[in-house]
Amino acid sequence: MSLNLLSEDLVPEHALDVKREARDFATEHIAPNAEEYYRTGDYPWEVLEAGMDAGLVAQDISEEYGGRGLDLEQVLAIAEEFYRADAGIALTLQLASFGAEMLEQYGTDEQKEQWLRPVAENDQITGLAVSEPEIGSDLAGMQTTAEKDEDEYVLNGEKYWIGNGVEADWVTVYAKTGDTDDRYMNYSLFVVPTDTEGYVAEHIPEKMGMRASKQAHIVFDDCRIPAENLIGSEGAGFMMLADFFNHGRVVVGGHGLGLAAAALEEAWDFVHEREEFGRHVADFQAVQHGLADMRLEFEAARALNYRAARKVEAYENPGLWAAMAKTKSTEVAVDNAEQGMQFHGGRSILTDRRIARVYRDARIPVIYEGANEIQRNLIYRQSGEQ
Ligand SMILES: Cc1cc2nc3c(=O)[nH]c(=O)nc-3n(C[C@H](O)[C@H](O)[C@H](O)COP(=O)(O)OP(=O)(O)OC[C@H]3O[C@@H](n4cnc5c(N)ncnc54)[C@H](O)[C@@H]3O)c2cc1C
């Protein structure tokens, strides 16, 4: 008796079709390739292209610009299915349009035609460059600068951890454009084509998890871009990013849910097959309670995550709900992975086991898109503001 998690009952009606598409795709293209891409650490171009053919990559971009206009609940439904199958490949598939949503919201019509449409039509991929080698959590402390020089901006500085920084056609770059006392008003966002002179990117050292996704160290050395590549208005970058992360964090919650489901399914199957003391390991009540706790926490997190998706869509305290969903779901993934490892005994540490891959991958969403300590700061502060 295997488990079937990620049930449909919590998923709104309008997201069910895309959820089923995502499950079919994950079963056919992601799960069977997970181990191979983890082992080689290659960029999964073939799976990405298959995902594009299936209409499941960069499709949160609106129909007006060539996408499917998938909303947050639909993207969440895709995320949990993809991450259940493999987090590394899933991250690559979901990063292909990362940050482009801000161009859609704040960009001009010309910018959207030039930069957004090719991403929605899957001719280009993109990425979002915020984090730096010396600064990660303090979004209002980043040091990369963009100085206006007549009809150009000149970028100088470094970015680190940037998904697709090597592979992308262009990236959205967050850079300092002012030095006012209000540190939250000093940043702006820019479209930066990766073939611009002065843009140099290389892969960061190999990671222990999510190896099928690639992050870059980017150096901007007098990198000149046209002034019309500014997104929205100068100084509004922090605010645009904060709003964007409310959506992103609900989806990262989905990363956690997929991983938590994978850990529970894998542990469940293992203890129902493994025998010790003349019975299945699953026959021990201590083990049953462990599985029960995994299920309880998983379902609680998932209910919170879908509730948060609705809240963010409706703009009801979006920062609070997004932070709660991201924190809870990603931490359930860590806890379930830890318990799943224990239930696998010595076999847990065999590198090619699915449970070991989940355990390594689960360490990552508790950090990216804002470490969970930062989320707790937001949860505390914004709870008091209600
Ligand atoms: C696989 C992966 C992919 C990524 N992709 C991208 C990407 O595409 N684009 C991008 O811009 N970035 C990306 N990141 C970067 C990610 O967003 C940062 O790693 C994250 O914001 C944390 O920054 P940091 O690693 O510099 O840690 P730091 O900010 O140095 O923090 C280290 C630790 O200090 C503690 N801490 C820090 N501040 C506080 C505080 N105020 N209160 C309490 N504790 C605190 C936390 O425990 C935190 O984990 C990615 C990271 C990873 C691992």
Side-chain angles (χ1 to χ4, degrees):
M1 165 188 57
S2 285
L3 287 184
N4 183 17
L5 299 170
L6 301 179
S7 60
E8 294 194 347
D9 54 352
L10 204 53
V11 180
E13 184 70 30
H14 76 278
L16 284 177
D17 281 349
V18 81
K19 174 186 168 60
R20 291 171 194 147
E21 290 170 36
R23 175 160 296 202
D24 289 347
F25 180 82
T27 306
E28 190 180 343
H29 295 278
I30 302 181
N33 288 309
E35 176 50 29
E36 169 78 4
Y37 280 106
Y38 171 75
R39 203 174 42 72
T40 63
D42 289 342
Y43 193 89
W45 285 110
E46 280 183 20
V47 187
L48 179 62
E49 279 159 21
M52 290 170 166
D53 291 344
L56 292 168
V57 173
Q59 295 308 300
D60 50 342
I61 298 170
S62 68
E63 290 179 29
E64 191 182 350
Y65 293 101
R68 291 172 71 179
L70 300 179
D71 70 9
L72 186 55
E73 288 161 308
Q74 291 172 311
V75 176
L76 171 61
I78 296 174
E80 52 180 16
E81 291 293 346
F82 279 10
Y83 280 75
R84 170 173 169 265
D86 181 58
I89 296 175
L91 184 60
T92 291
L93 265 58
Q94 289 215 309
L95 275 183
S97 59
F98 189 41
E101 298 81 357
M102 288 184 286
L103 186 67
E104 167 138 28
Q105 199 173 348
Y106 306 102
T108 62
D109 287 344
E110 293 74 31
Q111 286 175 329
K112 291 184 215 176
E113 280 302 330
Q114 185 174 358
W115 304 109
L116 195 64
R117 184 176 293 285
V119 174
E121 292 181 350
N122 295 148
D123 292 328
Q124 294 189 350
I125 60 171
T126 186
L128 175 62
V130 177
S131 308
E132 301 190 350
E134 301 303 328
I135 311 267
S137 297
D138 183 7
L139 290 182
M142 299 295 169
Q143 295 167 352
T144 295
T145 54
E147 274 184 54
K148 190 98 187 276
D149 181 20
E150 298 190 352
D151 57 355
E152 291 181 321
Y153 280 94
V154 188
L155 274 68
N156 279 291
E158 293 176 55
K159 295 287 176 187
Y160 205 72
W161 290 117
I162 310 310
N164 288 338
V166 170
E167 294 79 11
D169 297 279
W170 59 274
V171 289
T172 302
V173 176
Y174 177 79
K176 195 167 184 186
T177 43
D179 213 0
T180 66
D181 288 346
D182 184 349
R183 62 198 297 265
Y184 299 105
M185 298 303 287
N186 290 335
Y187 291 87
S188 305
L189 293 169
F190 300 92
V191 171
V192 180
T194 54
D195 60 1
T196 310
E197 201 177 327
Y199 178 106
V200 181
E202 60 178 25
H203 287 136
I204 63 165
E206 190 51 274
K207 310 186 298 296
M208 72 161 190
M210 296 193 189
R211 282 163 50 112
S213 79
K214 294 289 155 207
Q215 286 72 32
H217 178 189
I218 304 172
V219 177
F220 300 102
D221 182 11
D222 281 337
C223 178
R224 287 181 173 268
I225 51 164
E228 63 254 28
N229 285 20
L230 172 72
I231 302 172
S233 52
E234 204 181 276
F238 179 91
M239 299 304 166
M240 293 190 263
L241 202 58
D243 187 52
F244 169 68
F245 279 150
N246 291 339
H247 288 76
R249 285 171 184 157
V250 169
V251 181
V252 173
H255 302 184
L257 293 173
L259 285 161
L264 175 48
E265 287 171 358
E266 199 66 8
W268 183 277
D269 287 349
F270 186 85
V271 298
H272 283 85
E273 276 167 27
R274 178 79 183 160
E275 290 186 16
E276 289 294 343
F277 300 92
R279 68 189 81 166
H280 284 121
V281 170
D283 291 340
F284 297 110
Q285 196 175 43
V287 173
Q288 294 169 0
H289 285 186
L291 293 168
D293 286 341
M294 290 168 86
R295 181 76 196 258
L296 272 171
E297 290 302 305
F298 167 75
E299 297 294 353
R302 194 160 179 253
L304 173 62
N305 219 123
Y306 273 92
R307 185 175 176 196
R310 289 198 305 277
K311 293 281 189 184
V312 171
E313 288 270 36
Y315 217 79
E316 292 172 17
N317 295 308
L320 170 69
W321 288 95
M324 289 200 291
K326 194 263 186 187
T327 306
K328 181 69 185 171
S329 296
T330 60
E331 291 181 7
V332 171
V334 171
D335 294 345
N336 277 8
E338 173 75 32
Q339 180 67 85
M341 289 287 278
Q342 186 66 16
F343 284 162
H344 273 73
R347 285 170 176 75
S348 60
I349 60 164
L350 297 175
T351 313
D352 63 355
R353 286 273 167 157
R354 182 184 184 208
I355 192 66
R357 205 169 59 243
V358 169
Y359 182 70
R360 291 185 296 261
D361 292 346
R363 281 304 314 152
I364 301 177
V366 289
I367 301 295
Y368 62 32
E369 214 125 333
N372 283 7
E373 288 87 345
I374 302 300
Q375 307 308 315
R376 285 188 164 80
N377 292 348
L378 295 170
I379 295 165
Y380 172 76
R381 202 180 311 136
Q382 298 190 22
S383 290
E385 285 168 5
Q386 273 186 296

